[in-house]
Amino acid sequence: MYYRRDGSPIEGENAVLEMAKIFNNGDERVDLTRFEDGTVVSTVFLCLDHSHGLKEEKPLIFETMVFSENGDADGDMSRYSTEEGAKEGHKQMVEKWLKKLKTTVKV
């Protein structure tokens, strides 16, 4: 099922079209942080529930992922039900990798 950023479901015949408009507008980015060593922490709105049948109370429609040039951080990921949770999760992921990599945020 498709969802809006506020967590409300997109239903009906035009659900796919509404979802496509969201992504066509570039409205999927929540936050992006680049580190001096090339590592990137990216948080996005997914529009699709990514709980994969895990019986979550709310759909997991936001995701934070880490990408690195050397692959050390690749795959570290968290998912969230709300944009507020995603923003907080992004900050936590940035702090985690700043400590692990002993690097700084690229301005």
Side-chain angles (χ1 to χ4, degrees):
M1 181 177 283
Y2 303 110
Y3 292 86
R4 295 177 188 87
R5 283 180 87 118
D6 66 3
S8 62
I10 302 172
E11 300 174 314
E13 295 176 10
N14 295 322
V16 174
L17 291 174
E18 186 174 339
M19 189 247 343
K21 286 179 186 177
I22 291 168
F23 285 95
N24 194 36
N25 292 335
D27 193 29
E28 68 276 2
R29 174 81 54 217
V30 175
D31 207 342
L32 180 76
T33 303
R34 297 181 189 277
F35 297 170
E36 288 292 339
D37 73 346
T39 300
V40 174
V41 177
S42 173
T43 300
V44 297
F45 168 61
L46 300 168
C47 202
L48 288 168
D49 181 9
H50 279 64
S51 64
H52 303 294
L54 296 176
K55 309 259 185 214
E56 298 291 327
E57 286 184 29
K58 295 182 179 181
L60 298 177
I61 54 175
F62 295 90
E63 178 178 82
T64 298
M65 286 193 80
V66 181
F67 306 92
S68 60
E69 290 182 1
N70 63 10
D72 288 348
D74 287 354
D76 195 0
M77 180 257 314
S78 293
R79 292 187 176 139
Y80 320 92
S81 296
T82 66
E83 189 162 359
E84 182 179 292
K87 288 177 180 179
E88 181 59 32
H90 183 92
K91 289 178 190 175
Q92 291 173 4
M93 190 72 79
V94 168
E95 289 172 14
K96 173 184 175 179
W97 283 99
L98 279 173
K99 289 177 186 173
K100 279 189 171 192
L101 298 172
K102 297 181 173 102
T103 187
T104 57
V105 172
K106 189 173 182 178
V107 181

